[in-house]
Amino acid sequence: MADSAPPATATRSERKHAAIVAAAAAVFLETGYDRASMDEIAARSGVSKQTVYKHFSSKDLLFVAVVTEMMDQAGAAVHQAPPRLRDRAELEAFLLDYGVRIQTVALTPGLMQLRRLVISEVQRFPELARELYARGAGRAIGAMGVLFETLRDDGLLAFEDVAETASQLNWLLMGEPINRVMMLGNEAIPTPAEIKRHTGAAVATFLAAFLHPDQR
């Protein structure tokens, strides 16, 4: 996720910064934090080691940059401005699209390896575990909560606690596949057909619990 090209208008310094972060992401995910070498990162990014340290004064700071940038890129790919939803059919279609999108983005080898890496380094970087949650599940729950309040006002959903309701959807969609891939490895990443099937079941369960009675 951290290998996206900088915009055409980027300055030379910004292009170097992006190249360093992309190279560092590859090295950290391949070797882990301890074995990651700033020399290797410099070589892969096509800049000098001195340039790497000019942009990031320590390996710690570079690691933080990789985690935050990968999560921000994933979040940008998932969270889009929702359309105005007028009835049950539009709500269901939106939730199905959202569920497939969030799983397709999150359940990738790079992001799964990033999650494992951050967990393995939680004693050294406890703030990164908090950032991983805030920029991942926390952001998803917050964004859905904002939408759900509108949907309640419009008479499409019925619930008491917005954060709890948004959390229910998030974990219906993400809980089982995330746990399976984390425990069984990247070979357990679901296929597109499996994601679609799981999303359909999750959305059906969610609507059975929270759809407004007038929409049933």
Side-chain angles (χ1 to χ4, degrees):
M1 296 291 297
D3 59 353
S4 62
T9 56
T11 65
R12 183 182 179 191
S13 178
E14 289 170 339
R15 289 194 295 271
K16 287 182 178 181
H17 183 99
I20 292 166
V21 172
V27 173
F28 283 130
L29 295 182
E30 289 172 13
T31 69
Y33 176 83
D34 281 332
R35 293 198 301 162
S37 160
M38 294 295 266
D39 290 310
E40 175 66 13
I41 292 169
R44 291 202 193 190
S45 58
V47 302
S48 68
K49 187 175 179 180
Q50 181 180 9
T51 298
V52 173
Y53 277 108
K54 182 179 179 181
H55 284 262
F56 301 97
S57 59
S58 69
K59 189 166 78 167
D60 288 8
L61 291 177
L62 183 50
F63 185 45
V64 170
V66 165
V67 173
T68 55
E69 181 147 336
M70 287 184 69
M71 292 305 298
D72 284 348
Q73 287 181 18
V78 169
H79 301 293
Q80 304 170 4
R84 189 61 181 263
L85 305 172
R86 295 168 296 184
D87 54 31
R88 174 179 178 157
E90 291 185 354
L91 171 59
E92 185 171 8
F94 171 80
L95 293 177
L96 290 170
D97 176 75
Y98 170 77
V100 169
R101 187 167 67 250
I102 193 172
Q103 289 174 78
T104 301
V105 171
L107 296 168
T108 59
L111 285 177
M112 289 295 94
Q113 184 59 23
L114 180 72
R115 181 183 289 262
R116 296 186 194 99
L117 181 56
V118 170
I119 291 172
S120 73
E121 297 291 344
V122 70
Q123 295 300 319
R124 184 169 11 205
F125 299 101
E127 73 282 1
L128 277 186
R130 291 189 290 269
E131 282 296 307
L132 190 73
Y133 179 82
R135 293 169 187 262
R139 181 177 179 181
I141 291 168
M144 283 296 101
V146 172
L147 173 62
F148 286 176
E149 287 185 324
T150 298
L151 295 177
R152 179 171 60 183
D153 293 343
D154 289 345
L156 289 177
L157 294 180
F159 55 83
E160 294 184 1
D161 186 288
V162 65
E164 182 177 280
T165 304
S167 180
Q168 290 285 319
L169 176 64
N170 186 76
W171 296 112
L172 280 168
L173 291 169
M174 303 301 296
E176 194 278 333
I178 286 282
N179 283 333
R180 178 154 39 90
V181 177
M182 288 294 292
M183 297 298 292
L184 301 180
N186 289 344
E187 61 271 18
I189 291 174
T191 66
E194 289 169 337
I195 287 175
K196 186 176 181 179
R197 185 164 54 250
H198 173 73
T199 299
V203 169
T205 299
F206 177 81
L207 291 177
F210 297 110
L211 189 68
H212 193 284
D214 290 346
Q215 298 293 326
R216 297 183 188 278

